[in-house]
């Protein structure tokens, strides 16, 4: 996936998920998808080739294992997640979790996932999530596929918003990052190190988690993974960690919710 630099500095844009803009490109949102029996998430095929998963022939069964393998989770603090530079703080509205869970409740009651985008602004010294965008989508108990992606592109371009993270539910499972989630999130984090993933598990305790890939070794491990099955284990090393005990800070902030469904 190519990166372009602009005079103001690195600034990822959701629009590059659909075309190559003249400014900075962005990995884009990649939710789980069964379409075309491929490991690609809902529009990974639209990403620039450089940062797509190295093996594009993944197969995904209609019914993945009831308990996907869990990865080794690194402690959030204590120097286990070194990064090449200090991460900017991301301010995340505290009530986003409850409001998203409420929006997803009908799907959750039907054992169907719900997904959304966390959009916001670069405030210079920090990022601020300002908007929860619910795209048009269809889903199953373990997948969520976005429809009419051009509506998302239009929305983010009109508002000059950038994608800071993504959020989705695990209707019946616990709160963790599956291997599919990890491959999804690697695209985000390659382009914006501060990117984070939120998992909401309404029927589990804890009922939410805010995560990022460790870097190293998690990001490199996922990018170099060539396992063909969608749900699969990775080497026993700290692959991901809690971001809300790190650079993501929950604050009492206003939140705009836009539901395109």
């Amino acid at each position: 996936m190519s990166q372009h630099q602009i005079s103001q500095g690195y600034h990822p844009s959701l629009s590059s998920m659909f075309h190559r803009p003249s400014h900075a490109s962005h990995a884009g949102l990649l939710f789980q998808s069964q379409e075309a029996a491929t490991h690609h998430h809902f529009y990974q095929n639209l990403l620039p080739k450089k940062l797509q998963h190295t093996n594009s022939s993944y197969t995904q069964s209609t019914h993945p294992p009831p308990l996907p393998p869990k990865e080794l989770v690194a402690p959030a603090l204590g120097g286990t997640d070194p990064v090449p530079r200090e991460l900017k703080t991301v301010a995340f509205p505290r009530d986003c979790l409850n409001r998203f869970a409420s929006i997803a409740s009908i799907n959750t009651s039907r054992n169907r996932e719900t997904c959304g985008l966390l959009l916001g602004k670069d405030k210079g010294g920090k990022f601020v999530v300002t908007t929860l965008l619910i795209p048009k989508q269809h889903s199953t108990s373990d997948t969520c596929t976005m429809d009419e992606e051009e509506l998302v592109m239009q929305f983010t371009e009109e508002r000059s918003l950038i994608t800071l993270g993504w959020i989705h539910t695990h209707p019946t499972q616990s709160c963790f990052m599956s291997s599919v989630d990890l491959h999804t999130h690697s695209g985000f984090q390659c382009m914006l190190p501060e990117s984070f993933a939120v998992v909401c598990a309404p029927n589990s305790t804890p009922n939410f988690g805010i995560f990022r890939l460790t870097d190293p070794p998690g990001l490199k491990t996922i990018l170099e993974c060539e396992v063909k099955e969608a749900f699969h284990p990775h080497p026993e090393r700290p692959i991901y960690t809690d971001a809300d005990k790190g650079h993501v800070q929950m604050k009492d902030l206003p939140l705009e919710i836009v539901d395109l469904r």
Side-chain angles (χ1 to χ4, degrees), residues 3-4 6 9-16 21 23-28 120 122 127 160-164 188 191-193 195:
Q3 286 183 296
H4 301 280
I6 55 176
Y10 172 69
H11 184 80
S13 169
L14 186 67
S15 62
S16 64
H23 52 279
S25 62
H26 174 49
D122 185 343
F127 293 106
S160 297
L161 295 171
I162 58 176
T163 306
L164 298 174
F188 283 94
M191 300 308 296
L192 184 66
S195 295

Coordinates of all heavy atoms in Angstrom, one line a residue, residues 3-4 6 9-16 21 23-28 120 122 127 160-164 188 191-193 195:
Q3 N 2.2 5.1 0.3 CA 1.9 6.3 1.1 C 2.4 7.5 0.3 O 3.4 7.5 -0.3 CB 2.6 6.2 2.4 CG 2.0 5.2 3.4 CD 2.8 5.3 4.7 OE1 4.0 5.0 4.8 NE2 2.1 5.7 5.8
H4 N 1.6 8.6 0.4 CA 1.9 9.8 -0.2 C 2.1 10.8 1.0 O 1.3 10.8 1.9 CB 0.9 10.3 -1.2 CG 0.7 9.4 -2.3 ND1 1.5 9.3 -3.4 CD2 -0.3 8.4 -2.5 CE1 1.0 8.3 -4.2 NE2 0.0 7.8 -3.6
I6 N 2.0 14.7 2.4 CA 1.6 16.1 2.1 C 2.3 17.1 2.9 O 2.9 16.7 3.9 CB 0.0 16.2 2.3 CG1 -0.3 15.8 3.8 CG2 -0.7 15.4 1.3 CD1 -1.7 16.0 4.1
G9 N 2.1 17.0 6.6 CA 2.4 15.8 7.3 C 1.5 14.6 6.9 O 0.6 14.8 6.2
Y10 N 1.8 13.5 7.6 CA 1.0 12.3 7.3 C -0.4 12.5 7.7 O -0.8 12.8 8.8 CB 1.6 11.1 8.1 CG 0.9 9.9 8.0 CD1 0.8 9.2 6.8 CD2 0.2 9.3 9.1 CE1 0.0 8.0 6.7 CE2 -0.5 8.2 9.0 CZ -0.6 7.5 7.8 OH -1.3 6.4 7.7
H11 N -1.3 12.2 6.7 CA -2.8 12.4 7.0 C -3.5 11.3 6.2 O -3.8 11.5 5.1 CB -3.2 13.8 6.6 CG -4.6 14.1 6.9 ND1 -5.0 14.5 8.1 CD2 -5.7 14.1 6.1 CE1 -6.3 14.7 8.1 NE2 -6.8 14.5 6.9
P12 N -3.9 10.2 6.9 CA -4.6 9.1 6.2 C -6.0 9.6 5.8 O -6.7 10.3 6.5 CB -4.6 8.0 7.2 CG -4.5 8.7 8.5 CD -3.7 9.9 8.3
S13 N -6.5 9.1 4.7 CA -7.8 9.4 4.2 C -8.6 8.1 3.8 O -8.0 7.3 3.2 CB -7.8 10.3 3.0 OG -9.1 10.4 2.4
L14 N -9.8 8.0 4.3 CA -10.6 6.8 3.9 C -10.8 6.7 2.4 O -11.0 5.6 1.9 CB -12.0 7.0 4.6 CG -12.9 5.8 4.5 CD1 -12.3 4.6 5.3 CD2 -14.3 6.1 5.1
S15 N -10.7 7.8 1.7 CA -11.0 7.8 0.3 C -10.0 6.8 -0.5 O -10.4 6.3 -1.5 CB -10.9 9.2 -0.3 OG -9.6 9.7 -0.2
S16 N -8.8 6.6 0.0 CA -7.9 5.8 -0.7 C -8.3 4.3 -0.7 O -7.7 3.5 -1.3 CB -6.5 5.9 -0.1 OG -6.5 5.5 1.2
P21 N -5.8 8.7 -4.0 CA -5.9 10.1 -4.0 C -4.5 10.7 -4.2 O -3.5 10.1 -4.1 CB -6.5 10.4 -2.6 CG -6.0 9.3 -1.7 CD -5.9 8.1 -2.7
H23 N -3.4 12.9 -2.1 CA -2.8 13.1 -0.8 C -2.5 11.8 -0.1 O -2.4 10.8 -0.8 CB -3.7 14.0 0.0 CG -5.1 13.5 0.1 ND1 -6.0 13.7 -0.9 CD2 -5.7 12.8 1.1 CE1 -7.2 13.2 -0.6 NE2 -7.0 12.6 0.6
A24 N -2.3 11.8 1.2 CA -1.9 10.6 1.9 C -3.0 9.5 1.8 O -4.2 9.7 1.9 CB -1.7 10.9 3.4
S25 N -2.5 8.2 1.5 CA -3.4 7.1 1.4 C -3.6 6.5 2.8 O -2.9 6.7 3.7 CB -2.9 6.1 0.4 OG -1.7 5.6 0.8
H26 N -4.7 5.6 2.9 CA -5.0 5.0 4.1 C -5.4 3.5 3.9 O -6.0 3.2 2.9 CB -6.2 5.8 4.8 CG -6.7 5.1 6.0 ND1 -5.9 4.7 7.0 CD2 -8.0 4.8 6.4 CE1 -6.7 4.2 8.0 NE2 -7.9 4.3 7.6
A27 N -5.1 2.7 4.8 CA -5.3 1.3 4.7 C -6.8 0.9 4.5 O -7.1 0.0 3.8 CB -4.8 0.5 5.9
G28 N -7.6 1.7 5.1 CA -9.1 1.5 5.0 C -9.6 0.5 6.0 O -8.9 -0.2 6.7
G120 N -12.6 10.9 12.9 CA -12.3 12.1 13.7 C -11.3 13.0 13.0 O -11.2 13.0 11.8
D122 N -7.4 15.2 13.2 CA -6.1 15.4 13.8 C -6.0 16.8 14.3 O -6.0 17.8 13.6 CB -5.0 15.2 12.6 CG -3.6 15.2 13.1 OD1 -3.4 15.7 14.2 OD2 -2.7 14.8 12.4
F127 N -5.2 13.1 18.4 CA -6.4 12.8 17.5 C -7.6 12.8 18.4 O -7.6 12.4 19.6 CB -6.3 11.4 16.9 CG -5.2 11.3 15.8 CD1 -4.0 10.6 16.1 CD2 -5.3 11.9 14.6 CE1 -3.0 10.5 15.2 CE2 -4.3 11.8 13.6 CZ -3.1 11.1 13.9
S160 N -14.2 16.0 5.7 CA -12.7 16.0 6.0 C -12.4 15.3 7.2 O -11.6 15.7 8.1 CB -12.2 17.5 6.1 OG -12.4 18.2 4.9
L161 N -12.9 14.1 7.3 CA -12.6 13.2 8.5 C -11.6 12.1 8.1 O -11.5 11.7 6.9 CB -13.9 12.5 9.0 CG -15.0 13.5 9.5 CD1 -16.3 12.7 9.7 CD2 -14.5 14.1 10.8
I162 N -10.9 11.6 9.1 CA -10.0 10.5 8.9 C -10.5 9.3 9.7 O -11.2 9.5 10.8 CB -8.5 10.9 9.2 CG1 -8.4 11.3 10.7 CG2 -8.0 11.9 8.3 CD1 -7.0 11.6 11.1
T163 N -10.1 8.1 9.3 CA -10.5 6.9 10.1 C -9.5 6.7 11.2 O -8.3 6.4 10.9 CB -10.6 5.7 9.1 OG1 -11.5 6.0 8.1 CG2 -11.1 4.5 9.9
L164 N -9.9 6.7 12.4 CA -9.0 6.5 13.5 C -9.1 5.1 14.1 O -8.2 4.6 14.8 CB -9.3 7.5 14.6 CG -9.1 9.0 14.2 CD1 -9.5 9.9 15.4 CD2 -7.6 9.2 13.9
F188 N -5.1 -1.1 9.1 CA -5.2 0.2 9.7 C -3.9 0.7 10.3 O -3.5 1.8 10.1 CB -6.2 0.1 10.9 CG -7.7 0.1 10.5 CD1 -8.3 -1.1 10.3 CD2 -8.4 1.3 10.4 CE1 -9.7 -1.1 10.0 CE2 -9.7 1.3 10.1 CZ -10.4 0.1 9.9
M191 N -0.9 2.1 8.3 CA -1.0 3.4 7.7 C -1.1 4.5 8.8 O -0.7 5.6 8.6 CB -2.2 3.5 6.8 CG -2.2 2.6 5.6 SD -0.6 2.7 4.7 CE -0.8 4.4 4.1
L192 N -1.6 4.1 10.0 CA -1.7 5.1 11.1 C -1.4 4.3 12.4 O -2.3 3.5 12.9 CB -3.1 5.7 11.2 CG -3.3 6.8 12.2 CD1 -2.4 8.0 11.9 CD2 -4.7 7.2 12.4
P193 N -0.2 4.4 12.9 CA 0.2 3.6 14.1 C -0.8 3.8 15.3 O -0.9 2.9 16.1 CB 1.5 4.2 14.5 CG 2.1 4.7 13.2 CD 0.9 5.3 12.4
S195 N -4.0 3.8 15.1 CA -5.3 3.2 14.9 C -5.6 2.1 15.9 O -4.7 1.4 16.4 CB -5.3 2.5 13.5 OG -5.2 3.5 12.5

